[in-house]
Amino acid sequence: MRRVTLITTGGTMEKEYDERTGTLVNRRSVLDQMLGNLRLEDARVTAMTLLNKDSLDLTDSDRQLILHAARSALDAPLVPGETAQGVVIVHGTDTLALTGELLASELGSLSGPVVLTGAMRPYELARSDAVQNLTEAIFATGVLEPGVYAVTHGRALRFPGVVKDTFRGTFTREPASD
């Protein structure tokens, strides 16, 4: 059984529509609901809510909390019957690349992949990419080499050099500089 630690920080994936204000807000995690609808044969997913914020509201201190949580998850001892572990971090897409760059530079040698994912549309809205991206991220922890990645929309991009492409609504590689 492969162990996957799922750390949520909030972001668009977990936003809900507030009928009183007409806005999308982070109130509580919806990951348990999402995970309950997935069939995960060879993965034991343990979810933890670290933060519940829009990524534009994340501070440097919040990013240090994410770094510490990822490091702690990777360092946790395996129990009998468990194999390689991975970490999935649910994060808002606006600053996902900033957090990914920090993790890639600070985590050093890794025992498994650290995967950041998010959604362009909240889980509760029609045509959301939330379930697809969460499923791909969990799957990616079992097939990627140790490193820090952004996994969305059928692609796994390794940090450093991952950026959000707001025009296309996904992530891409930073253009090579001459």
Side-chain angles (χ1 to χ4, degrees):
M1 182 70 60
R2 179 171 44 91
R3 178 175 65 191
V4 178
T5 301
L6 180 63
I7 301 167
T8 182
T9 66
T12 298
M13 184 179 286
E14 299 204 85
K15 286 192 177 206
E16 298 175 334
Y17 180 72
D18 184 329
E19 295 172 357
R20 288 188 5 244
T21 64
T23 60
L24 294 170
V25 295
N26 288 105
R27 285 198 181 122
R28 64 189 178 286
S29 179
V30 297
L31 288 180
D32 287 339
Q33 183 179 356
M34 292 173 68
L35 289 169
N37 293 323
L38 299 179
R39 182 174 172 177
L40 303 169
E41 293 292 322
D42 295 321
R44 180 173 62 89
V45 178
T46 304
M48 67 173 281
T49 301
L50 183 64
L51 300 165
N52 201 9
K53 290 183 167 185
D54 185 294
S55 71
L56 291 173
D57 296 329
L58 291 178
T59 65
D60 290 341
S61 295
D62 294 332
R63 283 186 179 72
Q64 289 299 315
L65 284 174
I66 296 167
L67 172 64
H68 176 72
R71 185 177 283 135
S72 295
L74 289 169
D75 289 344
L78 294 172
V79 298
E82 286 184 337
T83 59
Q85 66 180 30
V87 175
V88 172
I89 300 170
V90 174
H91 195 289
T93 61
D94 288 319
T95 65
L96 183 148
L98 182 63
T99 301
E101 294 292 341
L102 172 75
L103 295 176
S105 70
E106 296 291 324
L107 283 175
S109 179
L110 298 172
S111 59
V114 175
V115 174
L116 289 97
T117 195
M120 300 296 170
R121 292 179 58 87
Y123 169 69
E124 74 170 27
L125 295 184
R127 298 183 327 275
S128 174
D129 54 343
V131 173
Q132 173 186 337
N133 291 342
L134 180 62
T135 304
E136 290 172 358
I138 293 168
F139 175 77
T141 65
V143 296
L144 293 175
E145 296 294 322
V148 179
Y149 301 85
V151 174
T152 60
H153 310 121
R155 296 170 55 195
L157 303 169
R158 190 174 185 149
F159 285 94
V162 177
V163 294
K164 182 176 179 179
D165 182 336
T166 55
F167 180 76
R168 291 179 46 216
T170 192
F171 288 87
T172 189
R173 303 280 322 151
E174 195 170 46
S177 58
D178 294 330

